[in-house]
Amino acid sequence: MLAFKLGSPPPPPPLPSLTQAKKCGRFRVFAGSFKTGAGTAGSDDGFPPFLPKEVEKIKDPFARSLAQRIERLPVKVGFSESCIMSSCVKPLIQSEINPVVLLHCFDSSCLEWRCTYPLLEEAGLEAWAIDVLGWGFSDLERLPPCDVASKRHHLYQLWNSYIKRPMILVGPSLGAAVAIDFAVNHPEAVEKLVLINPSVYAEGTGNLTRLPRMLAYAGVSLLKSIPLRLYANILAFNGISLATSLDWTNLTQKALIICSERDQIVNYKQAVRLQLELQDASMRLIPDCGHLPHVDKPSSVARFIAEFARGDCN
């Protein structure tokens, strides 16, 4: 799983932004233990029992800390008779600023945010890290459908049951496509979008041998002239027509695009193209960084997200 394979960066320095957060909007710490969800009582090390035993071998202190906070919440979906116990990390604080909700890359998990998540909390943000349906640590013993529509519906039901406020939705790589698709279909649930090295076009994807196997099977050569505005369903999923995807350029939410100077997966020109095609998008560049800046440069990513979430607050 990608979240376990990634290298461990050095400990990020704390953000000097907690005071700023207090100035731009009050927040309060939730009372009681954060281990309030279903199935959170774990081993002597504090890991929830539904995580694979390999988690105990992780040396990265940030990964260990975030893994201990993963819990499962029951999410009722129409395509399953019973609730799906869905894995996520819940916030410790509640802020007047709308919550930041973090998705993850293809076939990864919320542990991808192990370095950036604590910095967002340090900045006073109410942050969720959510496993997209079909990936991560949710209970999928009775495997539900995991196509585009099901992923979207599951995220909406989780939002509608627990978050219930317009969110700043963050998606890296193919997770950016998930975020945009969700925002188009449920605009009432999304205030702003943060797209990190977004993989949303059939072209400009760099070396296909370094991408997920399903992407290599997608017939990209047949799609080079088609801008897949904003779901990589034709690249890695099924279920959305081209006519539907072409409507995504009508996206009205304010967006921030974070891109890396040395991304070998998504071409920088595609990020520029996306910025131009969206109605209200700005861009930030992170130098000397690869495809996963929230792992390699967490301080920069946390700072950009915090500034964007606060709007005009300095």
Side-chain angles (χ1 to χ4, degrees):
M1 188 171 285
L2 179 60
F4 290 115
K5 292 180 181 178
L6 297 172
S8 301
L15 280 179
S17 52
L18 192 56
T19 302
Q20 290 180 326
K22 291 180 180 178
K23 291 180 180 179
C24 297
R26 295 188 302 274
F27 62 90
R28 64 182 180 87
V29 178
F30 287 125
S33 169
F34 53 73
K35 294 187 177 181
T36 57
T40 54
S43 65
D44 293 339
D45 290 328
F47 295 114
F50 55 79
L51 292 184
K53 292 184 178 181
E54 287 80 3
V55 72
E56 298 178 4
K57 300 179 181 178
I58 295 177
K59 303 300 183 183
D60 182 349
F62 300 103
R64 293 181 66 88
S65 178
L66 197 61
Q68 290 170 355
R69 289 181 56 182
I70 296 175
E71 57 185 278
R72 284 175 170 173
L73 301 176
V75 177
K76 182 64 177 178
V77 290
F79 49 77
S80 176
E81 295 181 359
S82 59
C83 292
I84 294 177
M85 300 304 296
S86 305
S87 47
C88 67
V89 177
K90 292 170 57 178
L92 293 180
I93 63 173
Q94 186 178 53
S95 173
E96 289 185 351
I97 300 172
N98 279 334
V100 173
V101 177
L102 308 168
L103 305 179
H104 53 74
C105 294
F106 180 87
D107 199 22
S108 183
S109 78
C110 57
L111 280 182
E112 195 175 284
W113 291 97
R114 60 191 179 272
C115 296
T116 302
Y117 188 96
L119 297 180
L120 294 174
E121 288 192 325
E122 177 73 18
L125 295 178
E126 181 180 339
W128 292 72
I130 293 175
D131 284 341
V132 177
L133 181 67
W135 299 322
F137 304 106
S138 296
D139 183 6
L140 300 176
E141 184 175 351
R142 296 180 180 179
L143 186 64
C146 294
D147 57 14
V148 173
S150 299
K151 293 177 189 294
R152 181 197 312 134
H153 180 64
H154 171 263
L155 178 57
Y156 176 78
Q157 291 300 108
L158 192 152
W159 172 82
N160 192 47
S161 298
Y162 300 100
I163 302 174
K164 301 179 181 180
R165 296 159 59 200
M167 55 186 171
I168 298 141
L169 188 57
V170 183
S173 191
L174 282 173
V178 178
I180 296 174
D181 173 74
F182 184 86
V184 168
N185 286 277
H186 298 290
E188 74 282 4
V190 181
E191 179 198 12
K192 300 177 182 179
L193 284 168
V194 179
L195 311 173
I196 301 175
N197 290 325
S199 180
V200 297
Y201 293 105
E203 56 188 34
T205 51
N207 185 354
L208 287 180
T209 62
R210 301 183 62 182
L211 296 179
R213 182 175 60 180
M214 292 181 68
L215 189 60
Y217 294 160
V220 173
S221 62
L222 301 178
L223 301 169
K224 285 184 178 179
S225 63
I226 302 175
L228 302 182
R229 291 175 176 80
L230 304 162
Y231 205 23
N233 60 293
I234 301 179
L235 294 179
F237 304 106
N238 296 306
I240 291 183
S241 68
L242 178 60
T244 300
S245 65
L246 290 177
D247 290 337
W248 293 344
T249 47
N250 297 324
L251 187 70
T252 58
Q253 286 93 342
K254 188 174 182 179
L256 171 66
I257 300 172
I258 300 175
C259 54
S260 301
E261 183 181 44
R262 297 187 179 182
D263 188 349
Q264 300 299 311
I265 302 297
V266 176
N267 193 309
Y268 171 74
K269 294 180 180 179
Q270 302 307 311
V272 174
R273 176 182 174 183
L274 178 61
Q275 180 192 12
L276 296 175
E277 292 190 346
L278 294 178
Q279 293 189 25
D280 189 1
S282 57
M283 181 180 292
R284 297 291 183 269
L285 179 67
I286 298 182
D288 193 26
C289 185
H291 187 58
L292 298 177
H294 51 303
V295 175
D296 297 331
K297 301 285 186 177
S299 295
S300 296
V301 172
R303 182 174 71 254
F304 290 150
I305 292 175
E307 291 171 350
F308 185 63
R310 294 175 193 144
D312 293 333
C313 290
N314 293 319

